[in-house]
Amino acid sequence: MSELYIRVAEDENEEPMEIPSEDDGTVLLSSVAAQFPGACGLRYRNPESQCMRGVRLVEGVLHAPESDWGNLVYVVNYPKDNKRKMDEIDAASAVKIKRGFQKTSDLIVLGLPWKTTEQDLKDYFTTFGEVIMVQVKRDAKTGNSKGFGFVRFTEYETQTKVIGQRHMIDGRWCDCKLPNSKACPDEPMRSRKIFVGRCTEDMTTDDLRQYFMQYGEVTDVFIPKPFRAFAFVTFADDQVAQALCGEDLIIKGISVHISNAEPKHNNSRQMMDRGRFGAGGSYYLRIHCLFILLHRKFIYG
DNA sequence: GTTGAGCGTT
């Protein structure tokens, strides 16, 4: 006669949970998945060989290894993709932890001489610390400088020092400030899709997919044609998307800006969120997202 | 072919 329940755990050392068996002694995979979402099978340690063995699975039905399930603890199998997803979430949270509140931002450089090039900027700012990005903004048609640009440093300390003083560059006094895009971050919204602003034309969908994979499973990349300097990237997990919103990321040497995909208007859901959390709510929601990522890391190791 | 406060081809 079969057991009424078998013991199942996520890990051999975890507290097992009792899962009901069917009248014929089998266990439905759906019964396991009801307690362990995403489960695709079971395994157990063979007491004789001390090796892990898989439980026979036929069309959603798990069959006892011997005549019955015995007193073993069965361990849940998850698809490889699921495991990879967890690793990616760890990677995303690791990025957050590493950066903490000391992360650097792009700085706008105002008052550049018309003749100043990116090489000039890099040469100048490298005297303060390691530079990871410089840009001189130019007129698309003429190529003339617009008299301002952007710089980003590796070290937060360098950024602080650079903001705190004026700069004589090629004979003119220039100022470095945090750009406006940093001052008012976009309102949060629970979307799996992010808007990637300031893309360049040489960024392919493959480039973007390859880059964003490090944060989580990417389910779609969309680049409008003709070229419009932005793209959309969709993740499998909205928490990964949300965690990236507001970031300036460097892809192929270019600083792109991440924000929520949907525009602020024509979205009633977002209006509701804004009403509930108020104007300053975005900060707390982002902390909340980070907290969720850390919590998962705690649970899944 | 110019210019001199600003904010990065949404």
Side-chain angles (χ1 to χ4, degrees), chain A residues 9 72 167 198 218:
Chain A
L72 298 171
H167 301 273
R198 308 199 300 260
V218 173

Side-chain angles (χ1 to χ4, degrees), chain A residues 11-263:
Chain A
D11 191 271
E12 281 187 280
N13 304 316
E14 297 272 326
E15 173 91 17
M17 184 171 285
E18 294 191 327
I19 304 291
S21 63
E22 302 304 302
D23 289 342
D24 64 0
T26 64
V27 170
L28 298 178
L29 179 59
S30 56
S31 300
V32 176
Q35 301 304 321
F36 302 93
C40 68
L42 290 178
R43 63 185 189 278
Y44 65 101
R45 191 171 294 280
N46 177 6
E48 288 162 29
S49 68
Q50 287 302 309
C51 288
M52 295 306 287
R53 271 193 183 178
V55 171
R56 185 180 307 283
L57 172 66
V58 183
E59 293 174 347
V61 180
L62 292 153
H63 295 267
E66 309 292 340
S67 53
D68 62 49
W69 294 91
N71 201 28
L72 298 171
V73 172
Y74 294 85
V75 180
V76 183
N77 288 339
Y78 290 104
K80 285 246 165 56
D81 274 354
N82 259 31
K83 184 175 190 321
R84 187 163 54 84
K85 192 170 158 187
M86 291 309 162
D87 291 345
E88 286 164 356
I89 288 169
D90 285 352
S93 59
V95 167
K96 288 288 183 184
I97 295 163
K98 203 167 84 184
R99 289 185 174 180
F101 296 99
Q102 298 279 284
K103 69 184 177 186
T104 62
S105 319
D106 295 357
L107 303 179
I108 188 165
V109 189
L110 270 356
L112 290 175
W114 311 119
K115 65 171 185 176
T116 299
T117 64
E118 305 199 332
Q119 188 60 53
D120 295 334
L121 270 193
K122 181 157 190 182
D123 291 345
Y124 173 77
F125 282 115
T126 299
T127 64
F128 291 87
E130 190 186 357
V131 171
I132 48 180
M133 190 274 316
V134 287
Q135 281 181 321
V136 171
K137 287 301 164 188
R138 298 174 182 282
D139 183 275
K141 288 194 284 287
T142 67
N144 292 335
S145 167
K146 290 182 175 172
F148 70 96
F150 293 87
V151 62
R152 176 117 155 239
F153 296 97
T154 311
E155 301 296 330
Y156 187 78
E157 289 71 25
T158 313
Q159 163 172 327
T160 307
K161 180 164 166 50
V162 164
I163 292 175
Q165 68 172 76
R166 301 250 284 158
H167 301 273
M168 178 58 75
I169 302 177
D170 291 339
R172 272 182 63 91
W173 285 108
C174 303
D175 293 301
C176 294
K177 302 177 182 174
L178 283 172
N180 289 340
S181 58
K182 279 280 144 191
C184 35
D186 291 331
E187 292 296 323
M189 205 171 29
R190 315 228 108 256
S191 174
R192 290 159 46 233
K193 192 194 283 184
I194 57 172
F195 177 90
V196 184
R198 308 199 300 260
C199 291
T200 51
E201 203 155 11
D202 68 325
M203 288 179 193
T204 65
T205 54
D206 276 349
D207 289 334
L208 295 180
R209 185 177 289 274
Q210 285 295 320
Y211 178 83
F212 282 104
M213 263 174 41
Q214 67 178 303
Y215 298 110
E217 185 188 345
V218 173
T219 58
D220 189 51
V221 177
F222 179 74
I223 301 180
K225 299 280 163 26
F227 177 64
R228 293 220 276 155
F230 62 90
F232 295 101
V233 175
T234 309
F235 290 95
D237 189 331
D238 67 292
Q239 290 170 348
V240 174
Q242 293 305 311
L244 289 173
C245 284
E247 297 286 313
D248 287 315
L249 305 173
I250 294 177
I251 305 177
K252 297 178 108 174
I254 301 296
S255 170
V256 300
H257 187 72
I258 309 302
S259 52
N260 282 303
E262 281 84 357

Side-chain angles (χ1 to χ4, degrees), chain A residues 284-297:
Chain A
Y284 294 100
L285 271 187
R286 293 203 46 207
I287 295 292
H288 181 67
C289 287
L290 172 57
F291 194 81
I292 290 167
L293 291 175
L294 288 171
H295 188 235
R296 287 210 185 177
K297 184 175 172 55

